[in-house]
Amino acid sequence: MCENNTKKKQIVGVLVANKLCRSSSMLRNKGQSVQCPNHRGHCSANVSEREPIGDEGKYNKVLGDLISQDIKI
């Protein structure tokens, strides 16, 4: 997320979306059914495998909610 009020266009926040989870790959290879994120054990994914990763509007809203505690938007 960048500010648009100055020529500098400074970055005010970054949100990283990740669908990759090494643990789920290993568990699936062992025949277990796993849903990411938040499965039992360590899950490095923070986005479901079914969600589109290019939904910038959604991520801007999530990031806006996160940084609105520190920055007036």
Side-chain angles (χ1 to χ4, degrees):
M1 182 180 282
C2 299
E3 55 86 10
N4 279 327
N5 293 327
T6 69
K7 293 179 185 177
K8 293 182 181 179
K9 308 286 187 228
Q10 294 179 347
I11 297 172
V12 293
V14 174
L15 180 71
V16 178
N18 178 22
K19 292 184 177 188
L20 304 176
C21 177
R22 182 179 169 105
S23 300
S24 68
S25 295
M26 293 188 316
L27 292 171
R28 284 187 188 115
N29 287 338
K30 293 178 181 179
Q32 296 182 26
S33 178
V34 178
Q35 292 291 325
C36 290
N38 302 323
H39 62 79
R40 283 182 55 187
H42 176 72
C43 183
S44 56
N46 60 2
V47 177
S48 169
E49 296 167 330
R50 293 177 182 88
E51 286 187 55
I53 204 152
D55 189 355
E56 287 137 3
K58 174 188 171 191
Y59 297 121
N60 271 338
K61 183 178 179 342
V62 170
L63 184 58
D65 291 342
L66 288 173
I67 66 172
S68 66
Q69 299 164 8
D70 301 322
I71 299 173
K72 185 175 179 179
I73 299 177

